[in-house]
Amino acid sequence: MGSLTEKFAAGMNRIAADHDLVLRNVAAAVSGGADSLALAFLLREYVKEHGGRAVMLTVNHHLRPEAGAEAEMVAALAAKWGMEHHILDWFPDQTSGSLEEKARLGRYRLLEEWCAAHEIEHLLTAHHQTDQAETFLMRLQRGSGVDGLASMQPFSRRGRINLIRPLLDVDPAELKDLLRNNQIGWAEDASNDCDDFLRVRMRKFLPRLEKATGISVRRLAETAKALSEARAYFENETDQFVKRYVRYFEQMAVSVSPTALNALHPELKRRVLARLLRQIGGGSYPPEYEELQRLLKTVADPHFRGCTLGGCVLVPFQKRLWIVRESKEKKTPDSLQWKDFVRSFPTYDKMVIPHALKCLLTARQK
């Protein structure tokens, strides 16, 4: 398909069409590495052709002595190109946990906050075909199901912004060739060669995997893409079930027909419960596969009286399964408190709801 510039433009236009987006005010996460600099160059060319505002955002994690100089290098290149650029600072804390994961979450938080504050809804990242293959293998190693193995998507919603990955089908060697052909230098991050990180070990393993088995980066990325289509189907089926059989109560609780739930394929049962638990419990991630499997067995027990998972209380009540947000409020509201609540929310008059939800609703009135 023509040049990489044309391929990038076609990908951007396809993402916009598929998700009904107007990609005129966008930002790109640019670290100074080859991949993100190539993304910035392609975005610059795209905006020249299609118009709009394009911003380059660089997060300085302050984890390496050279990080500040790399951020300034990006700033100088942005000035040369006539593009808006901002450096966002993230400082590592001393709490326990994976530094790599904390840096990743911190980076996305800063990028999202900046974009939201400056009315930019779309953030581009430079994830490419090899990143997709590495992610597939990492999630395979963790025992992920369809959702995990489907890996990264060209479009996803993250908090208040749209995350767009227009390079997922691109070989990173093409990106370096693009920079060389345009006399653009880039920075090499020494941590990209550090075996302490699983992603680096996977990257180094990929050539050996292809040599020994013929399983290439492209084949892994294509498999992830095929699984993403399966995920899209399951998500659509989940949407339809929730729309038809689930009732919401002030985003504090839901109720669902156990008969309808039990009639579903096990994969869809897990998906419905995972979605509802995450929505009501407010978690960043849904419960893990094993937790959902145990939950299905627990709920199916004829002697089931209730349990907790994902910040929620699950109880059978009035021939329905209720999922209610957990609360420290345990005191049952008296009749006067309930009447006061119903006066403000008359739809609950004569409605029979579980104790846990009554506690939540009346506590909100205090």
Side-chain angles (χ1 to χ4, degrees):
M1 174 202 289
S3 70
L4 187 53
T5 303
E6 293 170 340
K7 185 176 180 180
F8 176 82
M12 289 282 283
N13 293 337
R14 183 167 55 251
I15 292 169
D18 288 347
H19 300 281
D20 194 24
L21 306 176
V22 178
L23 299 178
R24 292 188 61 81
N25 292 303
V26 300
V30 185
S31 67
D35 306 332
S36 61
L37 284 179
L39 171 67
F41 179 85
L42 291 166
L43 179 60
R44 171 176 170 254
E45 298 303 301
Y46 181 81
V47 170
K48 279 184 185 177
E49 180 70 24
H50 296 81
R53 175 191 180 197
V55 182
M56 294 165 62
L57 298 176
T58 302
V59 176
N60 181 354
H61 292 92
H62 295 272
L63 293 173
R64 297 177 293 112
E66 60 272 26
E70 291 170 6
E72 293 301 333
M73 178 198 79
V74 177
L77 187 60
K80 179 181 175 182
W81 287 348
M83 291 181 70
E84 184 179 346
H85 176 257
H86 301 275
I87 297 174
L88 313 178
D89 288 297
W90 181 85
F91 296 93
D93 58 47
Q94 302 304 313
T95 59
S96 61
S98 165
L99 183 59
E100 183 183 23
E101 180 65 8
K102 287 191 289 186
R104 186 184 71 85
L105 293 175
R107 176 172 68 251
Y108 278 117
R109 177 181 57 78
L110 285 173
L111 292 167
E112 178 191 335
E113 288 175 354
W114 192 94
C115 288
H118 294 83
E119 299 183 342
I120 289 184
E121 191 176 1
H122 314 295
L123 174 69
L124 275 60
T125 68
H127 293 104
H128 49 62
Q129 194 175 79
T130 300
D131 291 321
Q132 188 77 297
E134 291 164 5
T135 302
F136 179 90
L137 289 178
M138 289 168 67
R139 292 181 179 175
L140 183 65
Q141 185 256 5
R142 294 170 186 156
S144 296
V146 171
D147 280 10
L149 295 177
S151 300
M152 295 177 283
Q153 303 299 299
F155 170 88
S156 60
R157 186 74 184 171
R158 188 183 183 95
R160 293 167 288 177
I161 58 174
N162 296 323
L163 202 57
I164 296 175
R165 302 181 179 97
L167 302 178
L168 288 178
D169 293 330
V170 177
D171 185 327
E174 292 183 73
L175 301 175
K176 288 186 176 179
D177 286 342
L178 176 74
L179 296 181
R180 290 190 191 100
N181 293 338
N182 289 278
Q183 293 80 50
I184 301 168
W186 64 85
E188 294 286 359
D189 184 346
S191 65
N192 288 333
D193 199 44
C194 178
D195 287 344
D196 290 346
F197 302 119
L198 177 59
R199 182 173 290 279
V200 174
R201 299 198 297 275
M202 287 297 187
R203 185 175 305 143
K204 291 180 176 180
F205 172 68
L206 283 168
R208 301 202 303 274
L209 177 66
E210 182 170 5
K211 184 176 180 180
T213 67
I215 299 175
S216 65
V217 166
R218 180 174 294 278
R219 179 57 55 85
L220 291 170
E222 287 172 347
T223 301
K225 190 173 183 178
L227 286 169
S228 73
E229 294 177 0
R231 176 169 67 179
Y233 168 78
F234 285 131
E235 283 299 292
N236 182 64
E237 291 296 299
T238 302
D239 289 342
Q240 297 307 311
F241 179 88
V242 169
K243 190 179 297 184
R244 184 173 181 182
Y245 293 106
V246 176
R247 185 175 180 186
Y248 285 79
F249 297 83
E250 312 296 327
Q251 297 301 312
M252 292 183 175
V254 293
S255 72
V256 58
S257 161
T259 303
L261 186 65
N262 289 330
L264 290 174
H265 184 280
E267 174 68 20
L268 285 173
K269 279 189 206 176
R270 287 189 293 270
R271 285 176 177 274
V272 168
L273 287 174
R275 178 183 295 187
L276 298 180
L277 286 165
R278 187 176 178 186
Q279 287 178 339
I280 300 304
S284 300
Y285 299 98
E288 294 182 353
Y289 176 88
E290 291 80 6
E291 293 176 309
L292 291 169
Q293 283 292 86
R294 287 195 295 271
L295 178 62
L296 286 173
K297 289 181 181 179
T298 300
V299 171
D301 188 323
H303 302 293
F304 171 64
R305 292 294 178 268
C307 66
T308 60
L309 181 63
C312 298
V313 177
L314 293 91
V315 290
F317 184 76
Q318 294 290 305
K319 298 182 179 180
R320 291 178 73 81
L321 174 66
W322 291 72
I323 300 175
V324 184
R325 186 186 307 156
E326 270 192 293
S327 170
K328 294 179 181 178
E329 182 64 55
K330 304 297 181 185
K331 185 179 178 182
T332 303
D334 59 35
S335 58
L336 289 177
Q337 287 176 308
W338 186 243
K339 284 181 180 178
D340 185 49
F341 173 80
V342 168
R343 196 174 296 114
S344 300
F345 298 90
T347 54
Y348 285 90
D349 190 24
K350 303 189 186 327
M351 191 182 292
V352 182
I353 60 176
H355 166 77
L357 179 55
K358 270 193 173 184
C359 291
L360 266 182
L361 290 169
T362 52
R364 190 180 65 173
Q365 289 291 91
K366 294 178 182 178

